[in-house]
Amino acid sequence: MKKTGLLALVLCCLLAAGTLMHSCSKSNNVLRLSYAIDSLPQNVYVGDTGYTNWPVKFAFLYGNPLESMKVQVTGMPLRLTVTPDSVTAVPTFVENFVFHGNYAAHGSYPATLQIFSPTTGTRIYNFNLVVVTANCGFPLAGNYAGSNACTSANYTYNSIVTANGGNTINIQNLGGYGSNSNVTATVNCNMDSVMIAKQADGNGDTLVGVGTFTANQIIIYYKKTTQVAGSDSCVATLNRQ
């Protein structure tokens, strides 16, 4: 009887160990969700007022294609909110986070993107929220003394810059082509850059160009094309008067 009981005890131990090993093996072989995050730079620029859109793509790589992930944005400074602040979805998906600035103070604020899924747990991605002027085109409005350095000639003139609202401005008489010449330019608050998409200026010319700006100066490299005179490449320097 003693031998039989001892044998039974040994068998039970072996069965328990086998079950435990099998359980561990199953746990170690769980296929964890793998994903990639697009559009997550070190600095995310948002306006101090109004709304700033930040679309982020969460792409499925491998794992359970039905596993969902919860994404949460944290670290909002005062007078800045984000909608949605959290979302749960199955990748691949694109979420458009919309920041609303209510005269938020300018500066750089540490923020995080927290992502949780059942197989990966919580992962934290750090970035900076940089609050900047929302409509940086507005301060550029005014009268400017312009000078052109073109392939054909160098000359001076006067221009008027008007803020259209948002991040666009109108430049009247850019290049000295007359009061009927008006060009719409898009300004980038984060890069201090100017872009003129290809357009007719209203005076028989077609212009396209790029440039930079400061508080008191706009420099634009552009190409002008006319049906009569052909094309000309110029550098326009506008200094606030």
Side-chain angles (χ1 to χ4, degrees):
M1 293 294 293
K2 290 183 179 181
K3 290 183 178 181
T4 303
L6 181 61
L7 180 61
L9 179 61
V10 171
L11 287 173
C12 288
C13 291
L14 290 173
L15 286 171
T19 301
L20 180 61
M21 291 179 65
H22 179 65
S23 175
C24 292
S25 175
K26 286 179 64 178
S27 176
N28 290 335
N29 290 332
V30 169
L31 189 57
R32 291 176 172 81
L33 177 66
S34 180
Y35 52 85
I37 307 173
D38 188 22
S39 304
L40 182 59
Q42 183 62 38
N43 296 318
V44 176
Y45 294 90
V46 296
D48 53 2
T49 59
Y51 296 89
T52 304
N53 294 281
W54 181 39
V56 182
K57 181 179 180 180
F58 302 90
F60 173 82
L61 297 180
Y62 58 83
N64 181 356
L66 299 179
E67 183 176 353
S68 65
M69 55 196 293
K70 180 181 179 180
V71 182
Q72 186 173 11
V73 181
T74 64
M76 294 299 101
L78 291 174
R79 297 183 173 274
L80 186 69
T81 58
V82 62
T83 303
D85 59 357
S86 67
V87 60
T88 301
V90 175
T92 297
F93 65 95
V94 176
E95 185 59 45
N96 184 35
F97 297 100
V98 181
F99 296 93
H100 179 214
N102 183 21
Y103 298 97
H106 289 194
S108 179
Y109 304 92
T112 62
L113 199 65
Q114 296 184 8
I115 301 177
F116 171 82
S117 77
T119 59
T120 60
T122 300
R123 293 178 179 176
I124 297 177
Y125 301 87
N126 298 306
F127 63 97
N128 297 315
L129 278 172
V130 184
V131 179
V132 297
T133 302
N135 298 325
C136 61
F138 180 76
L140 294 178
N143 298 320
Y144 288 79
S147 63
N148 259 32
C150 299
T151 303
S152 60
N154 300 331
Y155 51 93
T156 61
Y157 52 91
N158 292 315
S159 286
I160 300 175
V161 175
T162 306
N164 295 337
N167 292 332
T168 63
I169 58 174
N170 180 80
I171 307 176
Q172 184 185 51
N173 197 32
L174 174 65
Y177 304 130
S179 58
N180 292 329
S181 174
N182 289 276
V183 174
T184 298
T186 302
V187 292
N188 186 317
C189 305
N190 307 323
M191 304 297 293
D192 294 338
S193 65
V194 183
M195 183 188 72
I196 299 175
K198 188 176 181 180
Q199 59 189 277
D201 71 345
N203 198 37
D205 303 312
T206 300
L207 277 72
V208 59
V210 295
T212 60
F213 69 90
T214 63
N216 296 303
Q217 186 181 72
I218 305 173
I219 300 176
I220 301 175
Y221 302 81
Y222 72 90
K223 183 177 181 179
K224 179 192 73 168
T225 304
T226 63
Q227 293 182 350
V228 177
S231 63
D232 197 5
S233 296
C234 303
V235 180
T237 302
L238 305 179
N239 292 303
R240 187 186 295 275
Q241 291 181 321

